[in-house]
Amino acid sequence: EREQMTQTERLMPPGLTPLYEACTKVYPDQPNPLQVTTRLKYWLGGQDPLDYISMYWNPGRPDENIPPHWHYVSFGLSDLHGDGRVHPEPLGCSGYGLELTFRLASEEKQPPLWPAALLQALARYIFTTGNKFVCGDHVSWHAPLDGSSSRVRHLLVATDPQLETTNTCHGSVTFLQMVGCTSRELRAAQRGSGFEVLNMMSEDPRCGGAWLVTRTQRRVSARLQHQNTQKPAHLAGVS
Amino acid sequence: FNVMNNSNLVVCNLENNMAQLQAANQKHEFNKMHKIVEEKQELHKDVPVDVDNVSIVSDKKDDSK
């Protein structure tokens, strides 16, 4: 299997290889993950900008209250190919300089697929508008993320806790993690700071915990402190 | 199989996806395009521009003659 994977790595486009290696460092026992891909690639006229979304099983860390979950990682917002088929010539960062991730609390043996469709929709927004996400941003989705009756209906933007910013031959890539949140948490982010809401969520395992794992079945919102009007607002990440 | 009713999204493993990518690159000559881009970059590297020795050739005729 190791020799097979070396052959596979030789087939990888140059902008993908370092990102794949970053994932393999975290998941050394999953060198050949399942991926959601596109029949008709974006660069051949398709409508879905992400060439691949890898889906890794993460057992979590029970002693740190991090639940088992599926970890989704996108490939396509950064410049995978470097030949101008999607992104113009690089200027410091690779393509948009970011990829999106998502962590879904789950004990299912097969990964649910709706997060992949969610990441494709978010990528379509970025490609269509040219607006990039940054850490601390909030995204009003106005519908249950999983299409059920979930109270998790919006998203906050954080940095992925396990995937660090990676350098490729086309520039740097930051892994931004989309975090499901409730309407109450969204309102708090809109009024104050997405960073503060993320901090509160990270302190409550029911709301995400240290790795901000999205639990679509949760009914509770993070305990949000009353806004201190005398304290200057942290405006970074306002979208 | 379709992902969330989007018939363009399918599930496959990474190894198969990379093999299909290579086939698509060959079919659409993306490998050739990449080589052309690489060759262009190499060409620019090999030709240093010495501004002081560039002579300007004018197309204007000398009307006095």
Side-chain angles (χ1 to χ4, degrees), chain A residues 32 35 37 39-40 48 85, chain B residues 7-8 10 12 15 17 25:
Chain A
N32 189 23
Q35 295 184 316
T37 185
R39 281 187 212 272
L40 180 62
D48 302 292
R85 69 178 76 177
Chain B
S7 59
N8 193 36
V10 292
C12 201
E15 188 182 306
N17 287 336
N25 280 340

Side-chain angles (χ1 to χ4, degrees), chain A residues 92-167:
Chain A
C93 59
S94 172
Y96 287 106
L98 63 101
E99 294 291 353
L100 301 178
T101 74
F102 184 80
R103 293 176 189 263
L104 176 67
S106 170
E107 298 198 18
E108 292 186 43
K109 287 185 180 168
Q110 294 297 323
L113 300 177
W114 63 263
L118 174 72
L119 294 184
Q120 282 287 8
L122 293 168
R124 253 196 305 276
Y125 167 81
I126 292 173
F127 269 86
T128 305
T129 64
N131 295 336
K132 296 197 283 192
F133 296 143
V134 294
C135 189
D137 271 352
H138 52 266
V139 178
S140 309
W141 196 252
H142 294 299
L145 297 187
D146 61 355
S148 71
S149 57
S150 169
R151 295 186 70 199
V152 178
R153 301 165 62 90
H154 309 284
L155 296 152
L156 299 173
V157 183
T159 46
D160 192 283
Q162 289 184 296
L163 294 169
E164 296 177 351
T165 295
T166 301
N167 288 322

Side-chain angles (χ1 to χ4, degrees), chain A residues 4-16:
Chain A
Q4 189 68 25
M5 287 317 300
T6 306
Q7 288 173 7
T8 301
E9 282 183 74
R10 279 192 216 115
L11 298 176
M12 275 186 197
L16 175 58

Side-chain angles (χ1 to χ4, degrees), chain A residues 157-237:
Chain A
V157 183
T159 46
D160 192 283
Q162 289 184 296
L163 294 169
E164 296 177 351
T165 295
T166 301
N167 288 322
T168 77
C169 55
H170 306 140
S172 64
V173 179
T174 297
F175 291 95
L176 292 181
Q177 181 171 311
M178 307 307 295
V179 182
C181 70
T182 63
S183 298
R184 192 157 171 258
E185 289 158 351
L186 175 78
R187 280 195 298 274
Q190 288 169 329
R191 284 190 207 126
S193 156
F195 291 113
E196 288 185 17
V197 178
L198 286 169
N199 278 341
M200 298 312 296
M201 288 172 70
S202 69
E203 289 175 11
D204 188 342
R206 301 170 301 171
C207 301
W211 287 3
L212 295 168
V213 177
T214 296
R215 290 179 183 268
T216 53
Q217 301 310 308
R218 67 181 168 104
R219 310 293 296 170
V220 297
S221 291
R223 190 178 293 180
L224 301 157
Q225 291 171 354
H226 213 57
Q227 300 299 321
N228 183 351
T229 52
Q230 290 184 343
K231 194 175 160 189
H234 191 333
L235 291 180

